[in-house]
Amino acid sequence: MLFSTLTLAAALAGSATASPLLLRRQGPGTDVPATPSNNGTAVGSSYLNATVESVPIGVTPGNWSQLTNATEPYPNGRLFIGNPTGNTTNVTLAWKGQPAGGLLETKPDYAPRSSFDRQSLNLGLLQEMIELDLFYYLLANFTSEDWQAAGLTEDDRTLTQHMANQEIGHATAITNMLGVDVAPKQCVYQYPFETLKQGILFAQLVTRFGEAGTYGFLGQMDSRPSSQIILQAITTEARQQMVFRQFQGLPAMPEWFETGISQAYQWTLLSQYIRSCPTNNPRIEFTRFPLLDVTNQPYALDGTPGLNSNYTLTEGAGRRVDLYWEPLNKTVGPDGLYVTESVAGEPKFLAFIDQLNVTYAPLEGVNLTSRVAHAIVPNGTVFPPQPVVVNTAFVAVVDEDIFLTPYNISLINK
């Protein structure tokens, strides 16, 4: 659960000011063409002519001897500074200048090839459409004065408008891949925020789990041409997520690797914000797990917008995380058409899913009647010195601490 204010979400759901399906561009400064600031005065050669030389730290030109733990200039430097002990050059070519292998298709078909593809694209389209609605909502329901009070400018509103327009493109691309007649359409949404700062925070979290939910399945699609289009869309969404972090004054990109989660986790997080959908919208078949609420979750509401900062919310490893989760078989989701499900046994661990790792911490104080527990953030690294748990981490209550890697993260669903 992203926000503990469940009552607020319910109140917004019944509000007469709930977001309409599509809002027009709002006011001046939200889609203004850029004005060149230095038009016609730039000189140079497109950086095509080298003028300086850079030698890897710790290397003497012409001497490629291996580094050691004691002499490497930065952690793991010995892995990629020096001279390889072998040479694996392969001259097998498909044609001149093109190595043999790969999965190139000469006449790609950008359409789903399996139920897995179609369900993944259905879910992805629902994600793009809530972002489309959300970005327009932030422009339509908060004035320029509200944005200024939050430390944001007309240029920031223009950027938000641009990101909303990007979502039109993403939704169009996925709709075309699925087929206009059968692709999901926009729904009615319910948002757990009242102020602009809360809305910006929420937008950052929504783009975060949309991004992560896509990374978790992209390499498994049967339709590789379709996955290429989704890849190029989600790369933009990753940048949107970073922009909203900058709007909050958070460090722009503290992680070394972006996180992938399963579609079931993405659907669990997304579905709570969809109130009602057209009756012919396809059903999402991924598991809707009970929502997990971190009841002592800190939120970045007092940061100063900026390109980057060292502003942090928690002390990281060693912090206690208090948990509450929904019951099984609870009616949830758009139009009450889904129920919470799980095939797991008794909860024993809290899984921290972040970057390349799934790291487990024992659950403590488990009360199955009240559905509460707590755990301690583990101390670990991806590669030293990068901590595992940075940025927005994903957590799940699980019954077994199985070894998982980014490509098979969906196995955690069991």
Side-chain angles (χ1 to χ4, degrees):
M1 179 68 180
L2 297 175
F3 283 72
S4 58
T5 319
L6 290 169
T7 54
L8 174 58
L12 286 177
S15 169
T17 59
S19 175
L21 294 185
L22 186 64
L23 301 171
R24 297 184 181 275
R25 295 176 181 173
Q26 302 297 319
T30 56
D31 206 19
V32 179
T35 301
S37 60
N38 202 23
N39 191 26
T41 64
V43 296
S45 59
S46 300
Y47 292 96
L48 296 179
N49 300 314
T51 58
V52 298
E53 181 183 77
S54 178
V55 178
I57 298 174
V59 169
T60 300
N63 178 8
W64 295 102
S65 59
Q66 290 290 127
L67 299 172
T68 67
N69 287 340
T71 61
E72 61 183 2
Y74 35 76
N76 293 331
R78 67 194 185 283
L79 299 180
F80 33 85
I81 297 177
N83 190 22
T85 56
N87 187 311
T88 58
T89 300
N90 190 322
V91 296
T92 304
L93 302 176
W95 64 82
K96 182 175 176 56
Q98 177 72 19
L103 298 172
L104 177 65
E105 297 182 20
T106 56
K107 295 183 179 180
D109 178 23
Y110 297 94
R113 297 180 181 175
S114 63
S115 294
F116 179 88
D117 285 0
R118 181 165 291 279
Q119 281 291 322
S120 298
L121 292 174
N122 284 341
L123 177 58
L125 184 51
L126 290 181
Q127 178 76 39
E128 302 294 358
M129 290 191 296
I130 195 174
E131 291 164 357
L132 171 61
D133 182 87
L134 175 60
F135 299 169
Y136 274 113
Y137 184 95
L138 294 175
L139 293 168
N141 290 272
F142 297 101
T143 65
S144 295
E145 290 73 22
D146 293 329
W147 285 70
Q148 291 171 8
L152 298 165
T153 67
E154 284 300 309
D155 287 339
D156 297 321
R157 284 171 57 86
T158 299
L159 179 55
T160 303
Q161 174 72 63
H162 177 63
M163 291 190 289
N165 293 346
Q166 288 173 328
E167 297 307 331
I168 296 173
H170 298 171
T172 301
I174 301 177
T175 295
N176 288 341
M177 286 189 280
L178 286 167
V180 174
D181 293 340
V182 295
K185 308 304 178 191
Q186 276 204 303
C187 302
V188 174
Y189 307 100
Q190 50 192 26
Y191 297 140
F193 60 83
E194 293 181 320
T195 69
L196 177 61
K197 279 198 169 186
Q198 292 171 345
I200 295 294
L201 187 156
F202 180 68
Q204 181 250 310
L205 294 173
V206 169
T207 51
R208 176 66 169 166
F209 68 67
E211 173 191 355
T214 303
Y215 295 147
F217 76 85
L218 203 54
Q220 300 174 20
M221 289 187 71
D222 294 291
S223 173
R224 298 182 69 84
S226 297
S227 73
Q228 180 67 36
I229 300 296
I230 300 301
L231 171 64
Q232 292 180 235
I234 206 62
T235 303
T236 298
E237 189 158 313
R239 296 174 181 181
Q240 294 175 348
Q241 191 258 147
M242 191 174 78
V243 165
F244 286 120
R245 288 183 65 83
Q246 292 172 316
F247 281 3
Q248 293 175 259
L250 286 170
M253 45 179 180
E255 68 288 307
W256 284 7
F257 299 90
E258 300 305 333
T259 305
I261 59 174
S262 72
Q263 295 105 316
Y265 283 8
Q266 180 186 0
W267 175 234
T268 298
L269 291 167
L270 170 63
S271 60
Q272 63 183 309
Y273 305 119
I274 304 177
R275 182 184 181 191
S276 180
C277 293
T279 55
N280 280 345
N281 263 19
R283 179 179 178 82
I284 301 299
E285 297 298 341
F286 295 109
T287 302
R288 168 49 163 93
F289 287 105
L291 279 167
L292 183 60
D293 187 0
V294 178
T295 57
N296 62 339
Q297 171 68 36
Y299 290 117
L301 292 173
D302 59 350
T304 300
L307 290 179
N308 198 34
S309 76
N310 292 324
Y311 171 47
T312 57
L313 291 172
T314 73
E315 62 272 27
R319 186 173 83 86
R320 173 169 160 158
V321 179
D322 294 329
L323 308 165
Y324 165 81
W325 55 90
E326 288 181 309
L328 292 169
N329 301 312
K330 176 185 176 183
T331 300
V332 293
D335 302 293
L337 297 177
Y338 298 83
V339 296
T340 56
E341 301 176 89
S342 174
V343 295
E346 184 175 328
K348 295 180 180 178
F349 301 94
L350 186 64
F352 290 80
I353 307 166
D354 203 17
Q355 303 192 76
L356 303 182
N357 302 62
V358 180
T359 308
Y360 299 89
L363 282 176
E364 303 174 23
V366 178
N367 185 320
L368 297 180
T369 302
S370 302
R371 301 185 303 280
V372 297
H374 63 268
I376 304 300
V377 178
N379 185 15
T381 59
V382 182
F383 300 111
Q386 170 69 353
V388 171
V389 180
V390 297
N391 200 331
T392 303
F394 297 90
V395 293
V397 168
V398 297
D399 64 356
E400 188 179 355
D401 55 345
I402 61 174
F403 179 74
L404 293 169
T405 59
Y407 188 74
N408 65 2
I409 186 64
S410 292
L411 294 177
I412 201 171
N413 293 347
K414 299 181 181 180

